Amino acid sequence: MEHLRLALELPLGPGATGFEDVFLVHNAVPELELNQIELGTEFLGRRLQAPLLINAMSGGINEARDINESLAMLAAEYGLGMAVGSQIIGVEEDACLESFQVVRQVNPGGLVLANVSALAKVSVAMRAVEMVEADGLQVHLNVPQELAMAEGDRKFRGVLDNIHELVERLPVPVIVKEVGFGMSREVADKLISVGVKYLDIGGHGGTNFIAIENERGGLFDEEMALWGIPTAVSLIEVLSLNREVKVIATGGISSPLRAAKALGLGADLVGVAGILLKVLQGGGREKLSRWMDTYLYRLKAICLMTGARTPFELRRQPIVIVGKTAEWLRIRGIDVSSWGRRQ
């Protein structure tokens, strides 16, 4: 309840996502009609009507059950993917199962992702997958959050070996997910080397779990809330490896323009979370549906204004990266001068 309340009360950030330094180039003669724009894509064998994932937020309490039901209804209505929040409480307490299972009940044909810690045992991960009849499993990395929590974990050895075991033994794909502090290319390379084929970079600039834990009496301060790799930077770092991996961009992507920029940079899907919670709390399911209508219309419009018929074609259009984001990447040895028109 504290996490939900504070996620609603606190603004996104405080750090920037880096997308303020990314520009899609306007095409004044796109030679397209809006009804020609097709947002649909496929992910883990499921057809999505748009490249959007309602990302992991909550579960375990009655309030979370209602939230997950509303979000699952949104996913079913618009053909979006959805991930549930960390399921450890559902594994340990049968009374909490319904708060997670409602997602599959409401959306029986949709893309649903389970969620556990990256240190979860195979047996726990299997129960999480079975709980929601998941198409894939998110395993989350949240070291800064745990260290900020007085009651948090302090031991993080063996993560890579455990992820490797999960990848090898689970019957569904494993998506390694950061929770808001970003993923460097070095970390991505290590994860890919142990068999991971799906990454959710979870960059800095969205819901900030250090800021949330600070409000709960955590062990960090306001300056530490700036810790992390901005979402746009993290996305480019990972993609610069040019490895066979599907990448989900999450972290402060609260607008269709940011989503389009992430897709233009090369993301396969965009994860949206905190903004949906705020819209739902502020106006219920009806307002949430209206918000999604507007979001998808604007995403289509942005595709048209670049000359892209699909989100995938956005990455073939010119894109300009400037400012702190470009400087960070230059120092890291990544050339972004011709990042646009990637295949």
Side-chain angles (χ1 to χ4, degrees):
M1 274 304 299
E2 286 179 339
H3 283 157
L4 283 174
R5 176 179 61 82
L6 291 168
L8 285 166
E9 291 178 359
L10 294 175
L12 299 179
T17 62
F19 287 113
E20 64 278 2
D21 293 330
V22 177
F23 295 87
L24 299 169
V25 176
H26 174 57
N27 184 342
V29 285
E31 294 291 345
L32 286 172
E33 299 178 13
L34 190 63
N35 61 14
Q36 291 180 291
I37 308 302
E38 173 54 57
L39 295 181
T41 190
E42 288 191 6
F43 194 76
L44 301 188
R46 298 278 191 179
R47 183 67 183 173
L48 302 179
Q49 293 178 28
L52 296 181
L53 174 70
I54 300 171
N55 225 333
M57 280 182 264
S58 193
I61 56 177
N62 290 333
E63 291 81 0
R65 187 252 178 232
D66 294 340
I67 289 170
N68 280 343
E69 180 180 44
S70 295
L71 294 174
M73 291 175 69
L74 185 76
E77 180 181 0
Y78 290 92
L80 311 178
M82 180 173 173
V84 299
S86 178
Q87 291 170 262
I88 186 62
I89 191 171
V91 171
E92 296 176 348
E93 302 285 346
D94 288 346
C96 298
L97 289 173
E98 173 63 14
S99 68
F100 299 102
Q101 292 174 333
V102 65
V103 172
R104 179 55 82 189
Q105 292 165 2
V106 169
N107 191 12
L111 173 71
V112 175
L113 304 180
N115 184 302
V116 295
S117 164
L119 282 169
K121 295 181 179 180
V122 171
S123 59
V124 171
M126 280 294 299
R127 287 187 65 186
V129 169
E130 293 166 357
M131 191 187 304
V132 294
E133 301 173 41
D135 301 289
L137 174 71
Q138 286 184 340
V139 295
H140 60 260
L141 306 170
N142 68 334
V143 172
Q145 180 188 10
E146 295 290 348
L147 293 174
M149 297 169 64
E151 72 274 30
D153 292 334
R154 299 293 184 266
K155 298 178 180 179
F156 307 101
R157 296 180 63 182
V159 172
L160 281 173
D161 286 342
N162 195 67
I163 289 173
H164 177 67
E165 185 175 10
L166 292 173
V167 170
E168 289 293 311
R169 296 183 58 184
L170 285 177
V172 298
V174 171
I175 301 113
V176 178
K177 176 192 184 332
E178 239 293 346
V179 304
F181 305 101
M183 196 175 288
S184 69
R185 59 179 175 174
E186 291 87 354
V187 165
D189 193 51
K190 289 178 182 178
L191 291 168
I192 295 167
S193 72
V194 298
V196 175
K197 297 181 179 179
Y198 302 88
L199 297 173
D200 185 334
I201 60 163
H204 183 75
T207 301
N208 189 314
F209 281 101
I210 288 180
I212 286 174
E213 298 305 338
N214 285 348
E215 293 293 321
R216 297 180 65 236
L219 304 178
F220 286 172
D221 57 19
E222 290 183 4
E223 185 179 32
M224 288 295 289
L226 295 172
W227 182 266
I229 306 172
T231 302
V233 172
S234 180
L235 177 60
I236 296 171
E237 284 220 3
V238 172
L239 291 172
S240 73
L241 293 171
N242 289 316
R243 302 288 293 277
E244 290 294 324
V245 61
K246 297 290 186 181
V247 180
I248 303 171
T250 304
I253 305 181
S254 55
S255 73
L257 182 55
R258 290 183 182 180
K261 290 177 179 181
L263 294 165
L265 289 172
D268 294 282
L269 285 185
V270 169
V272 184
I275 185 64
L276 298 177
L277 190 63
K278 293 177 186 293
V279 173
L280 178 63
Q281 179 70 16
R285 294 173 184 172
E286 184 177 344
K287 184 175 181 181
L288 191 59
S289 290
R290 293 198 305 271
W291 184 91
M292 186 57 69
D293 282 333
T294 301
Y295 192 102
L296 295 177
Y297 170 80
R298 291 175 181 170
L299 183 55
K300 281 188 174 183
I302 294 165
C303 286
L304 188 150
M305 291 186 294
T306 66
R309 291 174 180 266
T310 68
F312 180 80
E313 286 189 6
L314 279 170
R315 68 179 71 179
R316 298 175 181 170
Q317 312 308 315
I319 197 165
V320 177
I321 304 165
V322 300
K324 291 182 179 180
T325 297
E327 182 66 6
W328 173 309
L329 296 166
R330 184 191 66 79
I331 292 170
R332 295 276 282 158
I334 300 170
D335 180 14
V336 296
S337 61
S338 58
W339 191 265
R341 301 191 184 280
R342 289 167 59 86
Q343 298 300 312

